[in-house]
Amino acid sequence: MPRKLYLETFGCQMNVLDSELVLGQLRAQGYESVDHRDQADVIIYNTCSVREHAEQKVWSRLGELRERKAAEPNLVIGVIGCMAERDGTNLFKRHPHVDVLCGPGELDKLPSLVHNAVVTGTGAKGERQIALMGNTSRRSSTLSAAEDTLELLDLSRSISPGDEVTQAYVRITRGCNKFCTYCVVPYTRGPEVHRPPANIIEEVKKLTDAGSKEVTLLGQTINHYHYKHGDGRETSFAELLYQIHEAVPDLPRLRFVTSFPRDFSDQALQAMRDCSRICRYLHVPAQHGSDRVLKLMNRGYTSAQYIDFIDRARGYMPDISIASDFIVGFPTETEVEFQQTVELVKRCRFKNSFIFKYSPRPGTIAIDRFEDDVPEEIKRRRNNELLAVQQQVSAQSNAELVGQTLEVMVEGESKLVSRQARSAYPASQVELKWESRQLTDPSPVETQLVGRTRGDQVVCFQGDLSLKGQLLDVQITSAQNLTLFGKLAEATVSQGK
Ligand code: SAH
Ligand code: SF4
Ligand code: F3S
């Protein structure tokens, strides 16, 4: 009898990709994935630590499982990902019924950890299976040994017929070296490690051969990619883009996230301009509009430098679509400084922004150094104010697209669910806004399709569900805040493209 596995993922695209790879490995070992945790013998949460809210969701899931574990000692419960790494064995104090703990830097070990817990019954005996960067020999082993074993996880990707690969992620860099003062990622994901270009290209090819239409390259500061070959040669991010574009001519869309505003080379912008299948879209978080706050955040640029970069990108590609992230209520943020963030949003005309209230994270520099002194109600007010400004900007930039015909990748029916699948930050304000529109809009949105343009704009239009996964030309007829509405272009309808 195959063991039944339930895996739920929280957090960013890195986690979505890790879950896919881990699931592939566990399936190869005979596990069968199920949609509901009640049917599962093994329950795994792939977790995120970036804000407290993300962790709370997992705490409550684990709390719900306490009684079931008492009644079914053979049930195996695993916590993997960033929360496992950040909390480490402390997690057991609160949730002693967790059997497996595995950080994102050790996921190549997960199949054997789960296997030990299930087959040898260590789960039932209360013996823990643990693999964390801080806890194991990996810290003491050489970085290149760690790279090699982790590389095997990405290389293990197996694509079976029937797998949903239309949109796929490919990692190019792991970890982060930036140490922004508020952020847990450098601690949970470890130092920056770049993957060999040949392996990346191979993976993109494999996915394209299996039917991928859009591949998104992943890295926390993706434009920092540079791979040092054994003979001393280096492959830069720009070179990697050119190489993928040339080596995989059948891939219609190539994207990448997340960009860091500093050190974005002209060559990389030129690659975006020159390669027709690279989407002209950048997600390049600014985080704040005040130079003093940016300094406290250790971001390494001023708002003027950020604006210079945006202008430079638009100089190369006037039609580029740009998204950003902002944190409001960072310690000591004044009203005047908050207004500088508002001004930056207006000045940069972002397609959309993900806006977060500062959340102090254990282990970060900010929690040690600064008191979380902006009251919750002020954080909330600033959050809403910035969101309202961004929505005006989004509405304007969307209105400019009305009348144009844009290529849309059909993702499916326009339901809230399909929005969350592609969002970098689940349950962000963007999704909530979308939900409220649906609830108040009397038109039968369920019968509409939803897709994304090359610039990552959301487009809804009437069509048959069989068009899912296709690239179609859609004429934009109207715009509402974050969503465009359109109809299939004549040529597309008649040619059935
Ligand atoms: N590597 C990306 C961001 C990864 S985290 C970058 O540097 O741009 C995703 C977003 O979460 C960040 O851009 C930031 O806006 C937000 N974030 C990170 N830590 C946070 C914290 N402690 N409180 C609130 N928001 C946070
Ligand atoms: Fe976090 Fe900064 Fe690294 Fe982004 S660049 S992951 S915000 S430390
Ligand atoms: Fe969260 Fe870890 Fe990603 S903290 S945002 S899952 S890198």
Side-chain angles (χ1 to χ4, degrees):
M1 265 268 289
R3 309 265 174 188
K4 294 197 164 66
L5 168 80
Y6 175 78
L7 172 63
E8 187 174 355
T9 309
F10 301 83
C12 66
Q13 296 103 325
M14 282 288 174
N15 264 13
V16 174
L17 175 58
D18 282 341
S19 286
E20 189 185 328
L21 298 174
V22 155
L23 207 56
Q25 294 210 327
L26 288 167
R27 276 203 198 124
Q29 301 223 340
Y31 290 85
E32 178 195 307
S33 63
V34 292
D35 292 335
H36 298 286
R37 71 177 181 188
D38 296 349
Q39 307 159 347
D41 314 304
V42 178
I43 299 174
I44 298 179
Y45 294 116
N46 192 2
T47 60
C48 173
S49 270
V50 81
R51 284 170 293 276
E52 194 185 345
H53 182 67
E55 292 201 344
Q56 276 166 352
K57 283 193 228 162
V58 175
W59 292 128
S60 70
R61 296 282 200 285
L62 292 174
E64 288 155 17
L65 288 173
R66 195 181 294 256
E67 277 181 30
R68 189 170 155 206
K69 175 76 180 180
E72 297 172 43
N74 285 321
L75 176 73
V76 170
I77 302 174
V79 176
I80 66 174
C82 292
M83 226 174 125
E85 191 64 48
R86 193 195 68 70
D87 230 19
T89 47
N90 280 334
L91 203 136
F92 296 133
K93 290 196 190 122
R94 199 154 160 187
H95 290 291
H97 55 300
V98 169
D99 308 294
V100 175
L101 208 56
C102 184
E106 303 286 325
L107 287 174
D108 54 301
K109 300 200 182 97
L110 187 69
S112 60
L113 298 182
V114 172
H115 182 80
N116 283 349
V118 170
V119 176
T120 64
T122 50
K125 285 184 240 151
E127 289 169 25
R128 267 78 175 250
Q129 303 293 310
I130 304 167
L132 301 170
M133 281 192 285
N135 259 40
T136 65
S137 56
R138 185 156 285 171
R139 272 273 158 85
S140 54
S141 72
T142 63
L143 186 62
S144 71
E147 279 171 37
D148 289 348
T149 45
L150 269 181
E151 188 59 23
L152 291 176
L153 179 71
D154 285 275
L155 290 176
S156 74
R157 185 173 213 149
S158 62
I159 306 165
S160 316
D163 282 356
E164 181 59 70
V165 292
T166 313
Q167 292 169 309
Y169 294 130
V170 170
R171 183 171 5 239
I172 71 166
T173 303
R174 301 189 186 86
C176 179
N177 289 347
K178 283 284 166 203
F179 291 94
C180 303
T181 53
Y182 50 81
C183 185
V184 291
V185 174
Y187 308 96
T188 60
R189 294 266 166 185
E192 220 173 55
V193 176
H194 308 285
R195 295 187 62 207
N199 294 6
I200 297 168
I201 292 169
E202 192 53 42
E203 207 176 323
V204 177
K205 262 192 193 150
K206 196 158 100 178
L207 285 160
T208 307
D209 290 346
S212 290
K213 300 250 170 78
E214 180 180 282
V215 168
T216 304
L217 307 177
L218 299 184
Q220 294 294 351
T221 54
I222 197 153
N223 47 313
H224 283 188
Y225 175 87
H226 58 100
Y227 183 79
K228 208 163 180 155
H229 297 263
D231 58 8
R233 267 182 317 124
E234 279 214 352
T235 299
S236 67
F237 180 55
E239 282 160 349
L240 180 73
L241 289 179
Y242 279 117
Q243 284 177 16
I244 300 175
H245 194 256
E246 195 182 319
V248 198
D250 295 333
L251 176 69
R253 286 184 176 189
L254 180 65
R255 299 181 180 284
F256 55 87
V257 288
T258 310
S259 298
F260 193 77
R262 234 181 57 190
D263 314 326
F264 204 113
S265 69
D266 279 306
Q267 287 86 342
L269 290 171
Q270 280 157 8
M272 290 180 80
R273 182 198 58 193
D274 297 346
C275 300
S276 59
R277 286 170 290 107
I278 298 182
C279 295
R280 293 184 172 185
Y281 166 74
L282 283 178
H283 181 188
V284 53
Q287 309 297 4
H288 213 277
S290 147
D291 292 347
R292 189 189 71 89
V293 178
L294 284 170
K295 198 159 184 196
L296 292 185
M297 288 177 161
N298 190 32
R299 289 291 287 181
Y301 53 84
T302 61
S303 70
Q305 285 166 329
Y306 182 86
I307 290 171
D308 277 351
F309 169 65
I310 299 296
D311 289 350
R312 192 152 59 91
R314 291 205 168 113
Y316 279 104
M317 293 160 284
D319 57 343
I320 195 168
S321 144
I322 302 176
S324 191
D325 292 359
F326 288 95
I327 295 178
V328 296
F330 191 79
T332 72
E333 179 191 67
T334 65
E335 193 56 34
V336 170
E337 286 164 340
F338 166 67
Q339 289 305 328
Q340 292 176 317
T341 297
V342 170
E343 287 310 311
L344 189 66
V345 168
K346 289 183 183 162
R347 168 67 172 80
C348 293
R349 294 177 290 116
F350 298 113
K351 174 193 83 93
N352 71 294
S353 291
F354 296 93
I355 301 163
F356 305 105
K357 290 179 286 181
Y358 171 68
S359 167
R361 306 307 298 133
T364 60
I365 302 164
I367 200 172
D368 282 344
R369 225 176 259 175
F370 316 118
E371 191 194 334
D372 179 21
D373 61 355
V374 179
E376 180 59 26
E377 64 272 19
I378 294 187
K379 283 185 186 168
R380 198 176 318 129
R381 202 251 303 143
R382 290 180 184 165
N383 187 329
N384 291 341
E385 188 178 330
L386 193 58
L387 194 60
V389 171
Q390 176 59 61
Q391 290 203 337
Q392 274 179 0
V393 173
S394 301
Q396 263 168 18
S397 74
N398 269 351
E400 286 163 17
L401 298 172
V402 174
Q404 293 189 21
T405 297
L406 302 175
E407 181 201 87
V408 173
M409 152 88 80
V410 186
E411 290 182 358
E413 260 186 290
S414 80
K415 281 192 257 170
L416 181 66
V417 199
S418 61
R419 299 269 48 75
Q420 291 197 341
R422 269 271 296 165
S423 163
Y425 311 114
S428 68
Q429 299 87 340
V430 176
E431 267 69 49
L432 297 177
K433 205 62 206 166
W434 170 245
E435 181 178 39
S436 65
R437 191 195 67 75
Q438 288 208 43
L439 294 175
T440 53
D441 190 340
S443 62
V445 279
E446 312 79 59
T447 61
Q448 286 193 328
L449 298 178
V450 67
R452 300 244 174 190
T453 65
R454 299 179 76 81
D456 206 47
Q457 285 99 356
V458 177
V459 182
C460 290
F461 61 100
Q462 296 286 340
D464 195 281
L465 198 54
S466 62
L467 297 173
K468 187 174 171 198
Q470 296 204 28
L471 292 162
L472 302 171
D473 287 337
V474 175
Q475 194 194 346
I476 307 303
T477 50
S478 67
Q480 263 181 40
N481 290 344
L482 294 164
T483 311
L484 296 168
F485 295 86
K487 58 177 193 205
L488 278 175
E490 294 293 328
T492 310
V493 178
S494 58
Q495 290 165 16
K497 187 167 117 183

Coordinates of all heavy atoms in Angstrom, one line a residue, residues 135 152 180-181 204 216 224 246 290-291 347 416 431:
N135 N 22.6 22.6 12.7 CA 22.7 21.5 13.6 C 23.6 20.4 13.1 O 23.8 19.4 13.8 CB 21.3 20.9 13.6 CG 20.6 21.3 14.9 OD1 20.7 22.4 15.3 ND2 19.9 20.3 15.5
L152 N 21.9 18.3 -6.4 CA 21.2 17.1 -6.8 C 19.7 17.2 -6.6 O 18.9 16.6 -7.4 CB 21.7 15.9 -5.9 CG 23.1 15.5 -6.2 CD1 23.5 14.4 -5.2 CD2 23.3 15.0 -7.6
C180 N 19.6 42.4 5.0 CA 18.7 43.6 5.3 C 18.3 43.4 6.7 O 18.0 42.2 7.1 CB 17.5 43.6 4.4 SG 18.0 43.7 2.6
T181 N 18.3 44.5 7.5 CA 18.2 44.2 9.0 C 17.0 43.6 9.5 O 16.9 43.0 10.5 CB 18.4 45.6 9.7 OG1 17.5 46.5 9.2 CG2 19.8 46.1 9.5
V204 N 15.7 24.1 -18.0 CA 14.8 24.9 -18.8 C 14.4 24.2 -20.1 O 13.2 24.1 -20.5 CB 15.4 26.3 -19.2 CG1 14.4 27.1 -20.0 CG2 15.7 27.1 -17.9
T216 N 10.0 30.8 -15.0 CA 10.5 31.9 -14.2 C 11.7 31.5 -13.4 O 11.7 30.5 -12.7 CB 9.4 32.3 -13.1 OG1 8.2 32.6 -13.9 CG2 9.8 33.5 -12.3
H224 N 22.2 39.3 -9.1 CA 23.6 39.1 -8.6 C 24.2 37.8 -9.1 O 25.3 37.5 -8.8 CB 23.6 39.1 -7.0 CG 23.5 40.4 -6.5 ND1 23.7 40.7 -5.1 CD2 23.3 41.6 -7.0 CE1 23.5 42.0 -4.9 NE2 23.3 42.6 -6.1
E246 N 19.0 31.7 -26.2 CA 19.5 31.1 -27.5 C 19.4 29.6 -27.5 O 19.0 29.0 -28.5 CB 21.0 31.5 -27.7 CG 21.4 31.2 -29.1 CD 22.9 31.6 -29.3 OE1 23.4 32.6 -28.7 OE2 23.6 30.7 -29.9
S290 N 12.5 56.7 2.2 CA 13.4 57.6 3.0 C 14.8 57.0 3.0 O 15.0 55.9 3.4 CB 12.8 57.7 4.4 OG 13.9 57.9 5.3
D291 N 15.8 57.9 2.8 CA 17.2 57.5 2.8 C 17.6 57.0 4.2 O 18.4 56.1 4.4 CB 18.1 58.6 2.3 CG 17.9 58.8 0.8 OD1 17.2 58.0 0.2 OD2 18.4 59.8 0.3
R347 N 6.1 58.5 -8.1 CA 7.1 58.8 -9.0 C 7.5 57.6 -9.9 O 7.7 57.8 -11.1 CB 8.4 59.3 -8.3 CG 9.7 59.4 -9.1 CD 9.6 60.5 -10.1 NE 10.9 60.7 -10.7 CZ 11.4 60.0 -11.7 NH1 10.8 59.0 -12.2 NH2 12.6 60.3 -12.2
L416 N -10.6 33.3 -7.3 CA -9.6 33.7 -6.3 C -8.5 32.7 -6.2 O -7.3 33.1 -6.1 CB -10.2 34.0 -5.0 CG -9.3 34.5 -3.9 CD1 -8.8 35.9 -4.2 CD2 -10.0 34.5 -2.6
E431 N -4.5 40.3 -3.2 CA -5.5 39.2 -3.3 C -6.8 39.7 -2.6 O -7.9 39.4 -3.1 CB -5.0 38.0 -2.6 CG -4.3 37.0 -3.6 CD -3.0 37.6 -4.1 OE1 -2.2 38.0 -3.2 OE2 -2.8 37.6 -5.3

